[in-house]
Amino acid sequence: DEETRDLLKTVSVIGMRFFGKILNEVADEIENIPERLQYLEKAQLIRKRQETEEEEYVFKHGLTQEAAYESILLSRRKDLHLKTAKAIESVFSDRLHSFYGILAYHYSKAENLDRAEEYLLKAGEEALRSSASLAAISYYQEAMRLYISKRGSAADPEKIAGFTRNIAIAFFNKGQH
């Protein structure tokens, strides 16, 4: 039915894996979510992950998630990405550091570039702390690209130097001098 299709589209925006708590926040206008999730499980579109303490689901096939995602109007997609980011901030406020990269992604897709840049920087710092140098390089490079595209010729050279410094530290930690 229409609401189950809407639910499938909503979870496709949340991601390949999604938490029940986040879904309940984002899809607040859809009724009978647990029954609709069961239907999607029986239809073998999603499956419930058993090894986690949180209620978590995953799409069985990436193509299903991609097809559902692509069927959403761009303006609706942006709204859902913004709702998803705000839901993650609300639901997982006690362990937000685990979600910095995901938050950067959702804010970027929602075209909230200031928040996207903020979370890209935090994700880069977190990646450096956990010795994930390759991820840190990626986050910092994307943050710098975003900053320069927003500011253009008015970009602060000191801020760009800070990005470059962090990228250099990540390369150094990776053994690429």
Side-chain angles (χ1 to χ4, degrees), residues 17-20 48-57 95:
R17 294 177 29 221
F18 56 95
F19 292 102
K48 191 171 187 175
R49 292 193 57 189
Q50 301 299 329
E51 65 271 7
T52 60
E53 61 188 51
E54 297 277 349
E55 180 185 39
E56 186 178 8
Y57 297 87
R95 56 184 172 138

Side-chain angles (χ1 to χ4, degrees):
D1 63 42
E2 188 68 33
E3 281 200 336
T4 304
R5 279 194 300 275
D6 286 346
L7 182 69
L8 185 64
K9 290 176 183 181
T10 300
V11 297
S12 75
V13 171
I14 296 171
M16 189 70 181
R17 294 177 29 221
F18 56 95
F19 292 102
K21 289 179 181 179
I22 300 300
L23 175 60
N24 289 330
E25 294 278 323
V26 176
D28 54 353
E29 72 279 352
I30 297 176
E31 295 180 9
N32 302 320
I33 290 176
E35 292 83 12
R36 294 180 193 291
L37 287 172
Q38 280 184 330
Y39 175 82
L40 293 174
E41 279 185 276
K42 286 179 186 171
Q44 296 192 8
L45 298 173
I46 63 170
R47 68 178 168 80
K48 191 171 187 175
R49 292 193 57 189
Q50 301 299 329
E51 65 271 7
T52 60
E53 61 188 51
E54 297 277 349
E55 180 185 39
E56 186 178 8
Y57 297 87
V58 64
F59 275 90
K60 286 189 83 169
H61 302 286
L63 289 175
T64 305
Q65 189 248 347
E66 187 179 326
Y69 183 83
E70 292 299 326
S71 71
I72 305 169
L73 292 173
L74 188 56
S75 60
R76 176 73 177 137
R77 243 190 267 170
K78 285 170 36 178
D79 291 341
L80 288 171
H81 278 293
L82 186 60
K83 280 181 85 170
T84 300
K86 289 180 184 284
I88 292 169
E89 288 176 327
S90 170
V91 171
F92 295 117
S93 61
D94 58 330
R95 56 184 172 138
L96 209 52
H97 65 278
S98 301
F99 296 92
Y100 289 155
I102 294 168
L103 285 164
Y105 168 78
H106 285 295
Y107 275 119
S108 175
K109 291 293 188 178
E111 295 183 3
N112 186 331
L113 302 182
D114 290 333
R115 296 290 283 178
E117 181 186 338
E118 173 189 342
Y119 280 115
L120 282 166
L121 287 172
K122 288 180 178 184
E125 291 166 6
E126 192 66 29
L128 270 182
R129 261 194 297 281
S130 62
S131 298
S133 299
L134 195 57
I137 291 166
S138 176
Y139 288 131
Y140 285 130
Q141 285 177 335
E142 181 62 19
M144 184 165 66
R145 185 200 63 74
L146 189 63
Y147 175 75
I148 291 171
S149 72
K150 283 186 336 188
R151 302 290 190 277
S153 62
D156 180 8
E158 284 187 40
K159 189 157 184 170
I160 292 173
F163 287 125
T164 305
R165 179 184 157 277
N166 290 333
I167 292 168
I169 290 169
F171 272 116
F172 182 81
N173 290 346
K174 208 170 168 292
Q176 294 182 346
H177 309 287

